[in-house]
Amino acid sequence: MPDKVQIHIQGMTCAACVRRVENALKEVEGVVDVSVNLATARATVTHLPRWGGISALARAVTEQGYEFLGELTDESDDPVEKARARELKEITVKVICGAALSVIIFFGSMQHWFGFLQGIPRQVMLVVLFVLTAPAVFWVGSRFFEGALKAAKQKTSDMNTLVSVGAFSAYAYSAAATFFPRFFESAGVAPHVYYDGAAMIITLILLGRLLEARATGKTSGAIRKLIGLKPKTAHVLRDDSEVETPVENLQIGDRILVKPGEKVPVDGSVLTGQSTLDESMLTGESMPVSKAPGQKVFAATINQTGSFTMQATGVGSDTMLAHIIRMVEEAQGSKAPIQRIADRVASVFVPVVFGIAAVTFAVWYFLPESGSFSRALINFVSVLVIACPCALGLATPTAIMVGTGLGAQSGILIKGGEALEKIHKLSVIVFDKTGTLTRGEPEVARIVGTGESDAKQVLSVAAALEKSSEHPLAKAILKMASNEQLPVAAAENFLALSGMGAKASVDGQTCLIGNRFLMNGQGISVELMEKTAAELAREGKTVVYVARNKKVIGLIALADVPKTSARQAVQRLKHRGLKVAMVTGDNAGTAKGIASELGIDRVMAEVLPGSKANEIRKLQSEGEVVAMVGDGINDAPALAAADVGIAIGTGTDVAIEAADITLIRDDLTGVPEAISLSASTMRVIKQNLFWAFIYNIIGIPIAAGVLYPFFGILLNPEFAAAAMAFSSVSVVSNSLRLKRVWKIKKERL
């Protein structure tokens, strides 16, 4: 079965870089699939058990001219973040130097504007500009030239090629005009210089890269927040003594003391003590959760009130927090299918742009009556600079990073871009009943007395009988008696009657609890309660009769009651125009009773566990796009068969692995929230791609000079550079806007 590994890569700058790295990694032996994410600087590699290994991946990355920073692990030390911090520092210094040099070069280029410079001979000034522009182009812009050389060695091209060729052309032409002016004069061409344009192109594009890097860093904030939640130490109890131990040294089975105000160090279960925990960092739920012996606690949640001891059941990479971090990282490194459009465009984009630039140069040099080499060169450079495909490469990954990060903070784990793209197309949401829509355990729904005995008397006798039973219905009855604070008498001569009920002596009287068959078998008439029992059964409730001294004194109706969030979730989904269905193995009566209570229209009852997936496929064959919401092992095939599988995080690991989306908290309103988040994220992705494409569709012709015959408008290279930088920053900023949009939407939900 294929496995996955994630690696860090430094040095990618555009969609063309991404495509080149992907193609190189796919050539490694045993690699099945590769997804490279420009925004996270990571590659997710799917490989067979027999494959070339990490060293082969490193070699493939290095041969393409990029830096391999190692494999992604669960450690909090992220080499990409360190490299990004170094890069930001370097770019900041170079932008400041480039800006200062550009201003000086501009003053010198426009010498006739400034009286204090007019005393300097023009030729001397041109030599000074030549010297000052060299560091502005070749040192400040070194990353572009290095990138272009790497691409050239691989016999390809990318955005670095466009920038370096554009800036170098302006600088080389200006140098020729400075040192060989007679050559130009003999050809009847004025020897103009464009030192200021060359310097400004590099500085403005690098400024755009700086703003883009800062903004992109914000999109990965969710991961850093999650990693920052990890506690550092724990109080381990060994031989009746308390030892402070680093969390990474903890082992499964360790007994740990958690004091008020401390973070729970690892996943585990409470042994002794009671407390309330703040689980908002994992579930998004702000209300504290009470914990008692036997209940689960999770790493990084905060203990608020009392001390308790716990036993570690999940440490290191096996904790829920580590699982969430891993899922979010994988999701942020994934691609939405819509990104394939941008990838296909990127593969041919740079050669096409060079072609357009060459045609632009030829048209402006040969066709106009006043055609000149200078104007042809300026338009050639403008086309190259304005066409850089940075925005195209950032459009999808930045939005996915923000969307999946917001989901993680709200207790919604989205596995990747494919799920994000599918979920907003859904037409039907299918819920499993038991454990998903309902609590998964019966509760007393109603108690009816015969008139001679009231509800409390019926419950008191039932509790006495069930005190010795382990049946789920018995637990529900005893829980109700406890809630009502009823005294429970001792039962003697208890006898469990398999499949029917129980019999015992309570306060010297023979009492029974069970179904109609038990009562009939003991010669007890249930005629008085039959009508009520039939009504309750039609509502999907389980009815048990209570008898004393050969006479029925009442009945208790039990039901697996819906979760408090179920009805609200169904209403929200229907409000979005979605059809809601329920699938269950229960009988039609019980299923319809629950469905009616929740407002669900379509019910698939008496469906065997193995057949749930068939019901999903049947809906798909009707043209529906289906989401399945479930929590149990028997839901896993249906979750996998659905277009989008949504697992309740309180369910089984198998269900969670099979699902595309996991709701960490046991709250079904997360389903409409996930759909809303997906729709918002996809809207931002489409906006980003639209602006990335439309920017080039409009910008390239303007740079080529198509507006000049009509309006006399031409685009100088420095303005083209500013526009290109703005396009990348605008795409990332639009992705970050999703945070504000989602906050407003959540408040309305």
Side-chain angles (χ1 to χ4, degrees):
M1 187 175 176
D3 200 0
K4 283 184 181 180
V5 65
Q6 284 193 314
I7 59 173
H8 300 282
I9 301 168
Q10 188 69 11
M12 296 183 296
T13 54
C14 66
C17 297
V18 168
R19 189 172 184 82
R20 192 155 72 243
V21 172
E22 281 184 345
N23 290 337
L25 292 174
K26 283 176 182 175
E27 294 298 317
V28 173
E29 182 190 354
V31 170
V32 178
D33 189 36
V34 178
S35 175
V36 176
N37 189 304
L38 176 63
T40 59
R42 290 172 185 160
T44 302
V45 180
T46 306
H47 61 85
L48 299 171
R50 291 176 63 86
W51 69 301
I54 296 293
S55 58
L57 299 181
R59 193 161 50 252
V61 169
T62 307
E63 285 173 357
Q64 292 299 314
Y66 302 98
E67 188 180 354
F68 176 79
L69 295 178
E71 182 184 355
L72 177 66
T73 64
D74 291 320
E75 296 170 10
S76 58
D77 221 10
D78 188 345
V80 170
E81 287 304 319
K82 284 187 174 180
R84 184 171 280 154
R86 287 197 304 271
E87 183 183 40
L88 279 172
K89 188 176 180 181
E90 179 192 331
I91 294 176
T92 303
V93 170
K94 287 189 173 182
V95 165
I96 292 169
C97 292
L101 286 169
S102 294
V103 170
I104 296 168
I105 293 164
F106 173 76
F107 272 65
S109 298
M110 301 299 167
Q111 185 179 2
H112 56 285
W113 287 6
F114 306 100
F116 63 93
L117 295 175
Q118 289 176 8
I120 302 172
R122 184 60 181 166
Q123 189 59 32
V124 173
M125 179 61 76
L126 290 178
V127 173
V128 171
L129 293 177
F130 170 79
V131 173
L132 290 175
T133 307
V137 171
F138 299 107
W139 177 70
V140 174
S142 60
R143 63 179 45 244
F144 303 119
F145 289 94
E146 288 168 5
L149 285 171
K150 290 174 186 175
K153 286 178 183 176
Q154 299 299 322
K155 298 178 182 178
T156 184
S157 54
D158 57 20
M159 66 84 64
N160 295 301
T161 312
L162 298 177
V163 174
S164 54
V165 169
F168 182 76
S169 299
Y171 181 72
Y173 177 78
S174 301
T178 299
F179 296 104
F180 307 102
R182 288 182 183 176
F183 171 79
F184 291 89
E185 288 165 0
S186 64
V189 177
H192 291 297
V193 294
Y194 301 101
Y195 289 120
D196 55 340
M200 286 183 183
I201 286 169
I202 292 294
T203 303
L204 287 170
I205 292 175
L206 198 61
L207 175 62
R209 184 67 59 79
L210 175 63
L211 297 174
E212 173 193 306
R214 287 184 184 279
T216 305
K218 292 179 185 177
T219 63
S220 59
I223 285 286
R224 289 198 298 275
K225 281 183 184 176
L226 288 170
I227 290 172
L229 293 174
K230 288 182 177 180
K232 301 291 187 288
T233 60
H235 304 289
V236 181
L237 301 175
R238 290 188 181 132
D239 301 324
D240 296 326
S241 62
E242 181 186 315
V243 181
E244 190 166 336
T245 306
V247 167
E248 54 267 25
N249 294 342
L250 293 177
Q251 298 178 353
I252 291 174
D254 280 347
R255 289 188 307 120
I256 301 161
L257 173 65
V258 184
K259 299 175 182 178
E262 290 184 342
K263 288 181 179 179
V264 177
V266 290
D267 290 3
S269 58
V270 177
L271 293 174
T272 61
Q274 292 185 334
S275 187
T276 55
L277 269 67
D278 176 0
E279 295 185 341
S280 59
M281 66 286 296
L282 291 183
T283 65
E285 177 57 61
S286 57
M287 290 296 291
V289 181
S290 298
K291 297 292 180 180
Q295 291 186 305
K296 289 182 180 179
V297 290
F298 301 102
T301 55
I302 301 171
N303 183 26
Q304 291 191 324
T305 52
S307 296
F308 64 89
T309 61
M310 59 173 282
Q311 186 171 41
T313 58
V315 299
S317 60
D318 293 327
T319 64
M320 176 67 84
L321 178 63
H323 180 68
I324 291 168
I325 292 171
R326 200 156 50 243
M327 283 186 72
V328 175
E329 283 175 336
E330 286 180 9
Q332 293 191 341
S334 69
K335 283 187 181 182
I338 197 171
Q339 175 68 16
R340 291 172 193 147
I341 301 168
D343 290 345
R344 284 196 293 270
V345 171
S347 65
V348 296
F349 187 82
V350 175
V352 168
V353 169
F354 268 111
I356 294 170
V359 170
T360 300
F361 180 89
V363 168
W364 279 95
Y365 185 70
F366 293 110
L367 289 186
E369 291 179 12
S370 58
S372 70
F373 187 89
S374 293
R375 175 46 60 192
L377 178 67
I378 287 173
N379 290 351
F380 171 81
V381 172
S382 294
V383 169
L384 292 181
V385 170
I386 204 167
C388 291
C390 299
L392 208 57
L394 292 166
T396 300
T398 52
I400 288 176
M401 286 176 72
V402 174
T404 52
L406 288 172
Q409 291 169 10
S410 302
I412 303 166
L413 295 185
I414 302 169
K415 277 193 176 176
E418 194 166 351
L420 268 174
E421 188 165 336
K422 280 181 183 176
I423 195 170
H424 80 289
K425 299 175 183 175
L426 293 171
S427 59
V428 178
I429 312 291
V430 179
F431 287 92
D432 171 55
K433 182 182 83 72
T434 307
T436 302
L437 283 172
T438 64
R439 297 181 185 279
E441 55 185 34
E443 290 187 6
V444 174
R446 191 175 168 192
I447 303 171
V448 182
T450 56
E452 294 180 14
S453 303
D454 61 21
K456 283 193 175 182
Q457 289 173 317
V458 173
L459 180 59
S460 181
V461 172
L465 284 163
E466 298 287 25
K467 193 174 182 180
S468 303
S469 175
E470 290 297 322
H471 195 280
L473 297 183
K475 290 180 181 177
I477 290 169
L478 288 168
K479 184 179 177 182
M480 174 61 85
S482 174
N483 291 343
E484 295 289 329
Q485 298 182 337
L486 290 178
V488 179
E492 298 174 353
N493 303 319
F494 177 82
L495 178 64
L497 303 167
S498 181
M500 292 190 290
K503 180 179 180 180
S505 177
V506 180
D507 293 331
Q509 297 176 307
T510 302
C511 300
L512 289 99
I513 185 169
N515 56 27
R516 184 166 52 86
F517 299 109
L518 173 63
M519 298 299 147
N520 291 342
Q522 295 290 322
I524 300 171
S525 172
V526 294
E527 192 175 342
L528 272 175
M529 310 296 297
E530 212 156 18
K531 186 178 178 183
T532 305
E535 287 175 3
L536 291 168
R538 279 195 295 273
E539 293 172 8
K541 296 178 174 64
T542 300
V543 175
V544 294
Y545 296 90
V546 180
R548 183 171 56 197
N549 293 335
K550 293 284 185 177
K551 193 173 182 182
V552 170
I553 61 170
L555 59 79
I556 298 175
L558 299 104
D560 185 5
V561 298
K563 293 176 181 175
T564 52
S565 61
R567 184 170 180 79
Q568 189 180 6
V570 171
Q571 286 176 339
R572 285 186 187 175
L573 291 169
K574 291 175 82 171
H575 183 70
R576 293 187 68 90
L578 295 163
K579 301 169 194 170
V580 183
M582 182 177 76
V583 63
T584 179
D586 281 355
N587 64 68
T590 301
K592 284 177 181 175
I594 293 288
S596 174
E597 189 176 342
L598 297 177
I600 295 173
D601 304 318
R602 182 163 181 170
V603 178
M604 294 166 276
E606 298 175 15
V607 178
L608 296 173
S611 301
K612 288 182 180 179
N614 294 334
E615 295 294 332
I616 298 297
R617 294 188 189 99
K618 197 182 295 181
L619 286 168
Q620 289 169 330
S621 68
E622 295 170 9
E624 304 287 4
V625 183
V626 185
M628 171 69 190
V629 186
D631 73 320
I633 290 174
N634 60 2
D635 295 327
L639 289 168
D643 295 286
V644 177
I646 303 175
I648 307 298
T650 51
T652 64
D653 291 341
V654 176
I656 292 169
E657 285 300 317
D660 300 296
I661 293 172
T662 301
L663 306 180
I664 302 173
R665 65 183 190 270
D666 191 11
D667 184 349
L668 292 175
T669 56
V671 176
E673 277 184 27
I675 294 170
S676 177
L677 177 60
S678 166
S680 298
T681 305
M682 281 308 301
R683 195 175 299 115
V684 167
I685 288 174
K686 287 176 180 176
Q687 288 168 356
N688 286 352
L689 286 173
F690 171 80
W691 287 113
F693 279 119
I694 207 73
Y695 164 81
N696 282 303
I697 290 167
I698 294 172
I700 291 173
I702 292 174
V706 296
L707 297 180
Y708 185 77
F710 309 101
F711 307 105
I713 294 174
L714 287 171
L715 193 66
N716 282 337
E718 49 265 45
F719 292 120
M724 190 283 287
F726 174 75
S727 71
S728 296
V729 175
S730 63
V731 161
V732 179
S733 300
N734 191 46
S735 295
L736 289 169
R737 186 179 60 85
L738 182 59
K739 291 183 178 181
R740 183 169 53 83
V741 171
W742 175 238
K743 185 179 179 182
I744 294 168
K745 279 199 170 185
K746 274 198 77 176
E747 288 171 356
R748 289 176 181 170
L749 284 173

